[in-house]
């Protein structure tokens, strides 16, 4: 069993509540638009396993450290994570086919800044976009997500609302 913390679209903004909310997590996953490498370093200080993908605002240094796509299996759940992947009913070109062919059960993406948790019953997967943890964009509420993976099951999904707060850049 692993507890996973999910975030996306920090755009170089650190909030100390990331550490508070993810303190009990086994892994933290960042779905892109990280902004500053210091965000990854601070997440690594909270949790030893940080998986991250680069997003469309991330520069070359970030792209060297964080690939555009991560595909892995943990606790019996096949995961596919990217920044711009769409969502059930509106996947980016080629994504639906890829998800089906690979038997993905959990798709994590960011980009829209809007929290989305959508089951794709046809593909037998759960899509999660944790929304935006930073201030950039037009989202009204900053959000994080936590979930548990255990023996091929995805359970205990919690949405954490951070609300609006003055911007603290690294």
């Amino acid at each position: 069993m692993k507890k996973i913390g999910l975030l996306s679209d920090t755009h170089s903004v650190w909030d100390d509540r990331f550490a508070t909310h993810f303190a009990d997590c086994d892994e933290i996953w960042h779905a892109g638009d990280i902004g500053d490498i210091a965000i990854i370093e601070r997440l690594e200080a909270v949790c030893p396993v940080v998986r991250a993908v680069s997003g469309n605002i991330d520069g070359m240094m970030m792209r060297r450290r964080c690939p555009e796509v991560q595909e892995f299996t943990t606790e019996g759940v096949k995961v596919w994570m990217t920044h711009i992947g769409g969502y059930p009913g509106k996947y980016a070109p080629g994504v639906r086919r890829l998800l089906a062919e690979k038997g993905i059960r959990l798709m994590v993406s960011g980009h829209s800044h809007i929290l989305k948790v959508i089951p794709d019953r046809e593909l037998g997967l759960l899509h999660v976009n944790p929304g935006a943890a930073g201030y950039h964009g037009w989202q009204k509420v900053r959000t994080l997500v936590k979930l548990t993976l255990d023996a091929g099951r995805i359970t205990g999904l919690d949405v954490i609302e951070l609300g609006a707060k003055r911007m603290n850049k690294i």
Side-chain angles (χ1 to χ4, degrees):
M1 177 170 71
K2 286 187 182 177
K3 283 191 172 188
I4 310 297
L6 302 175
L7 73 166
S8 184
D9 296 281
T10 48
H11 291 261
S12 300
V13 173
W14 176 261
D15 185 317
D16 288 335
R17 293 176 292 175
F18 300 167
T20 301
H21 289 296
F22 292 157
D24 64 340
C25 290
D26 299 297
E27 297 186 11
I28 299 172
W29 302 347
H30 195 304
D33 277 3
I34 300 157
D36 190 309
I37 197 69
I39 298 293
I40 297 300
E41 292 165 352
R42 290 181 85 169
L43 290 172
E44 288 171 337
V46 174
C47 182
V49 178
V50 175
R51 299 177 190 259
V53 294
S54 58
N56 55 295
I57 67 117
D58 292 319
M60 289 310 294
M61 185 170 137
M62 193 69 66
R63 290 176 189 280
R64 278 190 218 104
R65 174 122 184 226
C66 303
E68 188 176 325
V69 172
Q70 287 217 29
E71 181 182 336
F72 53 93
T73 299
T74 188
E75 294 297 314
V77 177
K78 289 185 85 172
V79 180
W80 193 77
M81 181 167 62
T82 194
H83 184 60
I84 303 174
Y87 52 89
K90 196 169 182 179
Y91 290 116
V95 170
R96 185 188 181 291
R97 181 181 48 77
L98 179 143
L99 297 171
E101 287 174 358
K102 293 181 176 274
I104 301 299
R105 295 295 161 246
L106 176 60
M107 176 192 173
V108 179
S109 67
H111 188 61
S112 73
H113 291 225
I114 304 301
L115 171 73
K116 291 181 178 145
V117 178
I118 306 171
D120 185 327
R121 298 195 197 300
E122 187 178 324
L123 294 179
L125 67 79
L126 181 66
H127 168 270
V128 179
N129 181 327
Y135 292 93
H136 181 78
W138 50 274
Q139 74 279 2
K140 294 183 180 185
V141 179
R142 297 169 50 235
T143 53
L144 308 172
V145 170
K146 285 174 53 173
L147 54 82
T148 300
L149 302 179
D150 187 17
R153 296 178 308 132
I154 304 164
T155 62
L157 191 140
D158 291 317
V159 172
I160 300 155
E161 293 187 355
L162 299 172
K165 188 178 167 188
R166 78 181 211 292
M167 189 178 332
N168 294 322
K169 283 205 169 203
I170 295 277

